[in-house]
Amino acid sequence: MTTMREDITPDRFRSVMRHVPTGVVVVAATTPDGAPVGLAVGSFVSVSLAPPLVGFFVAHDSTTWPRIEPLGRFTVNVLADDDEATCRAFAMRGGNKFAGVGWHPSPMGSPVLDTALAWFDCTANTISDAGDHRFVLADVHDLSARPAGRPLVFCHGTYQRLGDGS
Ligand SMILES: Cc1cc2nc3c(=O)[nH]c(=O)nc-3n(C[C@H](O)[C@H](O)[C@H](O)COP(=O)(O)O)c2cc1C
């Protein structure tokens, strides 16, 4: 039986996509008044090695992204598997998500979370519409990773830890 495209409801789409594991990052920026802002993103992906490009998708109804986009610069902070609380805080809408979160500025002045497993210092390259999201293609200007630690993984609607490996 062939599935009709109109039968692919958001709930059905989610029920299949929940089997696809993703890492979790916090995309963050420093506003002109010095306040850090950010949101949790699971759609982060490596795009190009030379030049170094990364990308992610942001929902049209994000309230934080419209504060980041005009700045044109941001960090991508990869969360470690002991940092579930940070992910939950940045997946909330509104409020001061940085309350109690340690951070320091990247070389370009965007927030690097003290607990990040890895971070990328980025500027926006191209932003394009992608259904109910926007695709943000970004240039990487600097990056770093802790020598040890494992990434937080989101799959089957829960936070998971990787087993063997580093
Ligand atoms: C594991 C996980 C992955 C997420 N991935 C994305 C994503 O890729 N893009 C996105 O726009 N929102 C994503 N979200 C949802 C946002 O973090 C959430 O909508 C947040 O409330 C947005 O806040 P804002 O309104 O302050 O922008 C994700 C949330 C979780 C928990």
Side-chain angles (χ1 to χ4, degrees), residues 63-129:
T63 58
T64 297
W65 180 251
R67 302 181 69 189
I68 298 176
E69 185 173 322
L71 304 171
R73 64 179 59 188
F74 45 82
T75 45
V76 174
N77 295 270
V78 180
L79 298 187
D81 67 359
D82 59 357
D83 218 3
E84 199 179 308
T86 300
C87 179
R88 291 185 192 279
F90 282 89
M92 286 190 318
R93 201 167 287 270
N96 179 11
K97 305 184 192 185
F98 272 88
V101 173
W103 64 279
H104 54 278
S106 70
M108 296 183 76
S110 302
V112 173
L113 304 190
D114 291 346
T115 56
L117 182 60
W119 56 268
F120 301 80
D121 210 2
C122 300
T123 54
N125 177 305
T126 311
I127 301 175
S128 47
D129 278 335

Side-chain angles (χ1 to χ4, degrees), residues 24 39-43 57-59 62-64 90-94 97 154 159:
V24 190
L39 75 155
V41 164
S43 53
F57 295 86
V58 185
S62 165
T63 58
T64 297
F90 282 89
M92 286 190 318
R93 201 167 287 270
K97 305 184 192 185
F154 191 75
Y159 298 97

